[in-house]
Amino acid sequence: MGKTVRKLEVVSPVPADIDIANSVEPLHISEIAQQLNLSPQHYDLYGKYKAKVLLSVLDELQGSEDGYYVVVGGITPTPLGEGKSTTTVGLCQALGAFLDKKVFTCIRQPSQGPTFGIKGGAAGGGYSQVIPMDEFNLHLTGDIHAITAANNLLAAAIDTRIFHESTQTDKGLFNRLCPPNKEGKRSFSDIMFRRLKKLGISKTRPEELTPQEIKRFARLDIDPNSITWRRVMDINDRFLRKISIGQGPEEKGMVRETGFDISVASEIMAVLALTTSLADMRERLGKMVVGNSKAGDPITADDLGVGGALTVLMKDAINPTLMQTLEGTPVMVHAGPFANIAHGNSSIVADKIALKLVGPGGFVVTEAGFGADIGTEKFMNIKCRYSGLKPQCAVIVATIRALKMHGGGPEVVAGKPLDHAYLTENVSLVEAGCVNLARHISSTKAYGVNVVVAVNKFSTDSEAELNAVRAAALAAGAFDAVICTHHAHGGKGAVDLGIAVQKACESVSQPLKFLYPLDTSIKEKIEAIAKSYGAGGVEYSEQAEKQIEMYTKQGFSNLPICMAKTQYSFSHDASAKGAPSGFILPIRDVRASIGAGFIYPLVGTMSTMPGLPTRPCFYDIDLDTATGRVIGLS
């Protein structure tokens, strides 16, 4: 493994992403698996170019040493994105195809919402991509469909239970939940013992329960106003943000308001990303809280009897998908939790498998969504807590374009041509914007990792502008700052970055430091994160105060915090560019993903169901019916 397996024929100007992807014939995925010393019993093939790597690999390699662990974050982005995925892929192509290192790229699975919406796909770009690009951006191996099915099964279970409880006596409900078998004997199903244990009832046979115990066991008494669980689908559909259900003639009086989120915002996606084994996933899915009883007790998926069924729907989704880059280096694609509401990182199991497969001296490079204030912070404080893994190096991706915006440049709007200021040299604008980069460097260094800045070079960037960024990065404490051209040249354009990352990993000396201990209060943890943003204080709404009190009372205050805030500023105000400080961070509401294992405060308004623009990407997407090739994916 690690030898150059495919030579890229680079042309200039850089063609469309899909044209580059289609110009390269991928290796059969079994060849990629072979390079990794994976035997056929370690993976299941999904066609010619994708395979699911089985978790049994982890058991087999349990005693072997891990490779180096690298996380890629970014500065606060423009709406156009600064090329984190492209840099992640380009760095790996450099390490594997040019520097002869064992390497693995671990990235999130993209949602079909952005693919058909405004953003397009997320396979990297130019000559630094994951292929086949169309399969990567569409159904892949069906994980998001499995999440959608599991999420909606739980939603159906909630409303069905309320419906049946409203029409039956305690005894009638109990008799139907524990029906007699052919011999006329009643018994509890396995999952029911979880509820009995939760209620402190140690009896094992239905006939032993007192009328009071029957009532407590059978009647969940869900408060419809407390239900937080919504339905999901994996497309952008703004008209489903708020809906009413129960309009059918048989559900008279059962109408309630709810809505749809996009599938990647489902807590089940966050569970998939943070789980460490099949048994752990079963526990997390069962512990997901969907609302409260009228007495204020949390109601879980296991209380509804559905935790086991959810696990069955997710049993294949837990296995990461093996793919490849344009230059034939291996890629693990797994999970894609929403980067605002959830933690925006790919899965722990993919990283763990990859670290064992590359071994000592090898590299696993994973990407954290959005700017480092969101993605890298959540990677460290949530993902690394649950995985027990420590990164040696954090890469921060910067572009001249974004730095000019932070320096006071005109607004950057997706779909509109860039202002002249972004296309011509303006060193002072770049230097002014480097305050944003400097804060990302200092807050990332605080975790005890070395920070390497990757400047993703565009053709309009001048030498003087690039030098200004390099100087500012080093002055702010970066281990190194490297100019990269991987979009135009593939791995060859990120060789210097690869060398810098290797040196950074080899010279790290500090242990991983978290931003806060778990045993402090919810508010203390929120305030520690707010401080890292530059906030002068935190303000809680009445609703937020109420929720914090409730979660503390329910015993959930020892969970890590997952801030849901805009990615376009350190603050809650998307228009506050650069490095704002002293602002008061408003916490509008506080919610919890108990199964996934975090509390998420809402800073401002966060949409969990995006809408389509006037001219969505789907206008350009079609099939060449003669060749069967997908065209127009961006």
Side-chain angles (χ1 to χ4, degrees):
M1 179 188 166
K3 298 283 177 279
T4 305
V5 280
R6 187 187 294 116
K7 191 96 177 76
L8 277 182
E9 298 297 327
V10 173
V11 298
S12 181
V14 179
D17 290 353
I18 188 81
D19 295 336
I20 294 173
N22 284 341
S23 72
V24 173
E25 181 59 38
L27 297 163
H28 194 285
I29 202 65
S30 59
E31 287 186 57
I32 302 287
Q34 216 173 342
Q35 289 176 30
L36 294 161
N37 297 324
L38 285 172
S39 56
Q41 80 262 24
H42 288 140
Y43 59 89
D44 289 336
L45 289 171
Y46 278 66
K48 289 188 256 182
Y49 308 125
K50 307 187 296 280
K52 281 274 198 183
V53 180
L54 306 177
L55 297 195
S56 54
V57 175
L58 261 183
D59 302 328
E60 278 187 39
L61 296 173
Q62 209 173 5
S64 58
E65 274 187 72
D66 288 350
Y68 292 121
Y69 195 29
V70 180
V71 60
V72 178
I75 63 168
T76 306
T78 69
L80 307 176
E82 309 323 304
K84 274 199 319 296
S85 302
T86 309
T87 303
T88 304
V89 175
L91 168 58
C92 291
Q93 290 181 172
L95 286 165
F98 290 88
L99 297 169
D100 206 20
K101 301 291 175 192
K102 290 189 171 187
V103 67
F104 232 122
T105 311
C106 289
I107 53 176
R108 288 180 289 168
Q109 180 183 349
S111 160
Q112 289 182 129
T115 299
F116 293 112
I118 198 165
K119 199 171 172 217
Y127 287 101
S128 295
Q129 288 189 62
V130 178
I131 54 171
M133 178 208 184
D134 56 338
E135 294 183 33
F136 177 86
N137 281 309
L138 299 173
H139 306 285
L140 199 62
T141 45
D143 294 356
I144 294 180
H145 301 322
I147 287 162
T148 305
N151 183 100
N152 294 343
L153 175 63
L154 180 49
I158 296 164
D159 291 304
T160 294
R161 185 59 172 258
I162 294 171
F163 172 75
H164 288 302
E165 285 192 20
S166 72
T167 56
Q168 295 175 53
T169 62
D170 296 341
K171 194 164 185 236
L173 198 57
F174 183 67
N175 288 345
R176 284 185 175 86
L177 286 169
C178 305
N181 61 13
K182 284 174 187 168
E183 288 80 50
K185 288 194 168 171
R186 298 182 185 277
S187 63
F188 293 119
S189 64
D190 285 349
I191 201 167
M192 289 175 174
F193 287 108
R194 291 174 180 249
R195 174 147 180 85
L196 290 164
K197 188 181 172 189
K198 179 179 167 177
L199 297 171
I201 300 170
S202 54
K203 297 167 182 175
T204 55
R205 298 205 312 274
E207 59 271 22
E208 295 174 332
L209 267 62
T210 65
Q212 184 55 35
E213 287 169 337
I214 283 174
K215 183 187 175 100
R216 288 177 65 219
F217 168 79
R219 198 165 289 285
L220 299 182
D221 203 23
I222 300 168
D223 175 3
N225 297 319
S226 75
I227 296 169
T228 51
W229 199 264
R230 289 151 62 93
R231 285 152 176 85
V232 299
M233 61 184 347
D234 196 36
I235 54 168
N236 293 353
D237 191 344
R238 66 177 71 241
F239 284 91
L240 291 178
R241 286 171 182 166
K242 193 181 258 192
I243 61 166
S244 60
I245 56 169
Q247 300 272 9
E250 287 174 29
E251 291 79 43
K252 278 210 161 39
M254 302 289 292
V255 176
R256 73 176 180 91
E257 253 188 21
T258 179
F260 273 77
D261 295 330
I262 195 157
S263 296
V264 290
S266 170
E267 184 178 347
I268 296 177
M269 174 62 94
V271 166
L272 177 66
L274 289 170
T275 193
T276 50
S277 67
L278 201 53
D280 177 64
M281 182 170 77
R282 168 65 189 88
E283 292 308 308
R284 286 174 182 268
L285 290 172
K287 280 196 304 195
M288 294 188 304
V289 172
V290 300
N292 298 325
S293 69
K294 285 172 186 157
D297 298 317
I299 302 293
T300 67
D302 273 347
D303 288 329
L304 286 155
V306 75
L310 300 181
T311 313
V312 169
L313 282 169
M314 293 292 293
K315 73 178 175 66
D316 296 322
I318 197 173
N319 299 315
T321 300
L322 181 66
M323 293 186 79
Q324 64 193 285
T325 66
L326 285 167
E327 297 187 62
T329 60
V331 178
M332 207 90 88
V333 185
H334 202 211
F338 220 53
N340 292 97
I341 298 296
H343 64 295
N345 281 259
S346 63
S347 80
I348 286 173
V349 290
D351 290 359
K352 284 195 157 185
I353 292 170
L355 284 162
K356 296 292 181 203
L357 289 174
V358 298
F363 292 83
V364 171
V365 183
T366 188
E367 181 203 342
F370 293 155
D373 56 315
I374 299 183
T376 308
E377 184 270 307
K378 293 174 182 181
F379 170 85
M380 301 290 185
N381 290 306
I382 301 175
K383 187 176 177 181
C384 290
R385 273 189 211 270
Y386 284 124
S387 69
L389 299 171
K390 177 202 184 309
Q392 287 75 36
C393 172
V395 175
I396 295 178
V397 180
T399 60
I400 299 292
R401 175 177 70 198
L403 291 167
K404 283 181 174 177
M405 178 191 72
H406 289 295
E411 202 183 347
V412 176
V413 182
K416 282 190 183 173
L418 276 174
D419 187 272
H420 184 65
Y422 296 105
L423 308 172
T424 51
E425 183 176 287
N426 190 330
V427 178
S428 58
L429 203 57
V430 173
E431 284 173 340
C434 282
V435 293
N436 185 270
L437 173 61
R439 183 176 291 169
H440 282 296
I441 292 169
S442 62
S443 53
T444 303
K445 271 184 75 179
Y447 296 107
V449 297
N450 281 330
V451 173
V452 173
V453 172
V455 186
N456 185 15
K457 184 180 186 294
F458 289 35
S459 57
T460 48
D461 302 341
S462 78
E463 203 66 33
E465 289 173 330
L466 295 165
N467 288 339
V469 180
R470 210 170 169 271
L474 294 171
F479 180 86
D480 204 349
V482 184
I483 314 302
C484 310
T485 60
H486 44 275
H487 183 272
H489 303 120
K492 193 178 175 185
V495 168
D496 289 347
L497 177 62
I499 293 166
V501 164
Q502 185 183 344
K503 284 182 184 162
C505 286
E506 288 168 351
S507 63
V508 77
S509 55
Q510 298 179 60
L512 179 59
K513 299 175 203 152
F514 297 120
L515 202 51
Y516 50 80
L518 286 181
D519 57 6
T520 55
S521 70
I522 291 174
K523 280 191 175 179
E524 283 171 305
K525 285 181 277 205
I526 290 172
E527 281 147 29
I529 298 170
K531 197 175 162 191
S532 78
Y533 297 156
V538 179
E539 192 178 78
Y540 301 90
S541 72
E542 203 181 318
Q543 170 68 7
E545 293 276 10
K546 198 177 92 186
Q547 293 295 103
I548 290 169
E549 198 182 326
M550 183 185 77
Y551 292 135
T552 306
K553 195 173 119 200
Q554 291 176 342
F556 301 137
S557 64
N558 61 342
L559 292 172
I561 300 294
C562 185
M563 291 289 234
K565 81 164 183 80
T566 178
Q567 68 269 38
Y568 294 124
S569 173
F570 274 112
S571 77
H572 56 286
D573 176 4
S575 66
K577 303 302 180 194
S581 59
F583 56 89
I584 302 298
L585 194 75
I587 306 295
R588 184 173 61 85
D589 197 356
V590 177
R591 295 183 193 159
S593 290
I594 302 303
F598 54 75
I599 303 276
Y600 61 99
L602 297 181
V603 185
T605 14
M606 288 292 128
S607 173
T608 47
M609 172 54 91
L612 289 169
T614 311
R615 191 192 184 284
C617 291
F618 61 60
Y619 272 91
D620 301 310
I621 299 170
D622 214 326
L623 197 69
D624 181 334
T625 51
T627 63
R629 277 201 153 157
V630 173
I631 46 178
L633 264 182
S634 61

